[in-house]
PDB file of all heavy atoms in Angstrom:
ATOM      1  N   ILE H 546      14.366 -11.888 -33.624  1.00 76.00           N
ATOM      2  CA  ILE H 546      15.175 -11.495 -32.556  1.00 76.00           C
ATOM      3  C   ILE H 546      16.676 -11.868 -32.778  1.00 76.00           C
ATOM      4  O   ILE H 546      17.524 -11.438 -32.025  1.00 76.00           O
ATOM      5  CB  ILE H 546      14.701 -12.093 -31.151  1.00 76.00           C
ATOM      6  CG1 ILE H 546      14.968 -13.582 -31.044  1.00 76.00           C
ATOM      7  CG2 ILE H 546      13.331 -11.595 -30.966  1.00 76.00           C
ATOM      8  CD1 ILE H 546      14.682 -13.991 -29.636  1.00 76.00           C
ATOM      9  N   ASP H 564      17.965   9.144 -23.001  1.00 97.00           N
ATOM     10  CA  ASP H 564      18.161  10.512 -23.424  1.00 97.00           C
ATOM     11  C   ASP H 564      16.940  11.354 -23.081  1.00 97.00           C
ATOM     12  O   ASP H 564      17.049  12.485 -22.631  1.00 97.00           O
ATOM     13  CB  ASP H 564      18.493  10.529 -24.937  1.00 97.00           C
ATOM     14  CG  ASP H 564      19.790  10.077 -25.297  1.00 97.00           C
ATOM     15  OD1 ASP H 564      20.699   9.856 -24.373  1.00 97.00           O
ATOM     16  OD2 ASP H 564      20.055   9.726 -26.445  1.00 97.00           O
ATOM     17  N   THR H 581      -0.553   4.693  -7.243  1.00 82.00           N
ATOM     18  CA  THR H 581       0.860   4.829  -7.571  1.00 82.00           C
ATOM     19  C   THR H 581       1.031   6.043  -8.451  1.00 82.00           C
ATOM     20  O   THR H 581       0.063   6.472  -9.174  1.00 82.00           O
ATOM     21  CB  THR H 581       1.355   3.671  -8.288  1.00 82.00           C
ATOM     22  OG1 THR H 581       0.588   3.335  -9.522  1.00 82.00           O
ATOM     23  CG2 THR H 581       1.377   2.395  -7.381  1.00 82.00           C
ATOM     24  N   GLU H 709       6.807 -10.997   8.071  1.00 93.00           N
ATOM     25  CA  GLU H 709       7.363 -12.251   7.360  1.00 93.00           C
ATOM     26  C   GLU H 709       8.732 -12.035   6.971  1.00 93.00           C
ATOM     27  O   GLU H 709       9.662 -12.971   7.055  1.00 93.00           O
ATOM     28  CB  GLU H 709       6.437 -12.606   6.187  1.00 93.00           C
ATOM     29  CG  GLU H 709       6.870 -13.907   5.560  1.00 93.00           C
ATOM     30  CD  GLU H 709       5.822 -14.369   4.615  1.00 93.00           C
ATOM     31  OE1 GLU H 709       4.910 -13.563   4.090  1.00 93.00           O
ATOM     32  OE2 GLU H 709       5.889 -15.591   4.098  1.00 93.00           O
ATOM     33  N   LEU H 729      16.628  -2.693 -10.203  1.00 98.00           N
ATOM     34  CA  LEU H 729      18.089  -2.686  -9.988  1.00 98.00           C
ATOM     35  C   LEU H 729      18.539  -3.813  -9.035  1.00 98.00           C
ATOM     36  O   LEU H 729      19.723  -4.274  -9.038  1.00 98.00           O
ATOM     37  CB  LEU H 729      18.541  -1.356  -9.300  1.00 98.00           C
ATOM     38  CG  LEU H 729      18.409  -0.123 -10.260  1.00 98.00           C
ATOM     39  CD1 LEU H 729      18.643   1.081  -9.528  1.00 98.00           C
ATOM     40  CD2 LEU H 729      19.610  -0.199 -11.373  1.00 98.00           C
ATOM     41  N   TRP H 751       5.490  -7.114 -14.787  1.00 97.00           N
ATOM     42  CA  TRP H 751       6.346  -6.239 -15.611  1.00 97.00           C
ATOM     43  C   TRP H 751       7.476  -5.677 -14.714  1.00 97.00           C
ATOM     44  O   TRP H 751       8.500  -5.050 -15.227  1.00 97.00           O
ATOM     45  CB  TRP H 751       5.596  -5.063 -16.231  1.00 97.00           C
ATOM     46  CG  TRP H 751       4.646  -4.407 -15.299  1.00 97.00           C
ATOM     47  CD1 TRP H 751       4.994  -3.562 -14.243  1.00 97.00           C
ATOM     48  CD2 TRP H 751       3.228  -4.437 -15.247  1.00 97.00           C
ATOM     49  NE1 TRP H 751       3.799  -3.099 -13.618  1.00 97.00           N
ATOM     50  CE2 TRP H 751       2.691  -3.558 -14.233  1.00 97.00           C
ATOM     51  CE3 TRP H 751       2.229  -5.032 -16.062  1.00 97.00           C
ATOM     52  CZ2 TRP H 751       1.307  -3.445 -13.912  1.00 97.00           C
ATOM     53  CZ3 TRP H 751       0.952  -4.969 -15.797  1.00 97.00           C
ATOM     54  CH2 TRP H 751       0.427  -4.059 -14.745  1.00 97.00           C
ATOM     55  N   ASN H 761      18.731 -15.004 -15.203  1.00 96.00           N
ATOM     56  CA  ASN H 761      18.968 -16.283 -15.783  1.00 96.00           C
ATOM     57  C   ASN H 761      20.301 -16.307 -16.666  1.00 96.00           C
ATOM     58  O   ASN H 761      21.047 -17.289 -16.559  1.00 96.00           O
ATOM     59  CB  ASN H 761      17.759 -16.636 -16.698  1.00 96.00           C
ATOM     60  CG  ASN H 761      16.633 -17.113 -16.012  1.00 96.00           C
ATOM     61  OD1 ASN H 761      16.607 -17.320 -14.728  1.00 96.00           O
ATOM     62  ND2 ASN H 761      15.451 -17.221 -16.706  1.00 96.00           N
ATOM     63  N   GLU H 766      18.775 -17.681 -10.825  1.00 96.00           N
ATOM     64  CA  GLU H 766      17.413 -18.202 -11.047  1.00 96.00           C
ATOM     65  C   GLU H 766      16.461 -17.581 -10.147  1.00 96.00           C
ATOM     66  O   GLU H 766      16.814 -16.956  -9.094  1.00 96.00           O
ATOM     67  CB  GLU H 766      17.396 -19.642 -10.933  1.00 96.00           C
ATOM     68  CG  GLU H 766      17.726 -20.257  -9.484  1.00 96.00           C
ATOM     69  CD  GLU H 766      17.666 -21.735  -9.390  1.00 96.00           C
ATOM     70  OE1 GLU H 766      17.168 -22.371 -10.340  1.00 96.00           O
ATOM     71  OE2 GLU H 766      18.216 -22.273  -8.471  1.00 96.00           O
ATOM     72  N   GLN H 794      23.673 -22.197  -6.903  1.00 92.00           N
ATOM     73  CA  GLN H 794      24.278 -22.820  -5.645  1.00 92.00           C
ATOM     74  C   GLN H 794      23.765 -22.009  -4.422  1.00 92.00           C
ATOM     75  O   GLN H 794      23.935 -22.517  -3.298  1.00 92.00           O
ATOM     76  CB  GLN H 794      25.774 -22.968  -5.773  1.00 92.00           C
ATOM     77  CG  GLN H 794      26.297 -23.720  -6.784  1.00 92.00           C
ATOM     78  CD  GLN H 794      26.185 -23.228  -8.201  1.00 92.00           C
ATOM     79  OE1 GLN H 794      26.441 -21.986  -8.358  1.00 92.00           O
ATOM     80  NE2 GLN H 794      25.871 -24.008  -9.164  1.00 92.00           N
ATOM     81  N   LEU H 802      15.652 -22.217   1.842  1.00 91.00           N
ATOM     82  CA  LEU H 802      14.209 -22.782   1.827  1.00 91.00           C
ATOM     83  C   LEU H 802      14.129 -23.763   2.953  1.00 91.00           C
ATOM     84  O   LEU H 802      13.023 -24.453   3.059  1.00 91.00           O
ATOM     85  CB  LEU H 802      13.909 -23.377   0.494  1.00 91.00           C
ATOM     86  CG  LEU H 802      13.627 -22.264  -0.627  1.00 91.00           C
ATOM     87  CD1 LEU H 802      13.225 -23.014  -1.963  1.00 91.00           C
ATOM     88  CD2 LEU H 802      12.678 -21.207  -0.195  1.00 91.00           C
TER      89      LEU H 802
END
Side-chain angles (χ1 to χ4, degrees):
I546 70 170
D564 290 343
T581 57
E709 187 173 10
L729 287 170
W751 48 70
N761 285 350
E766 61 182 346
Q794 295 76 40
L802 293 179

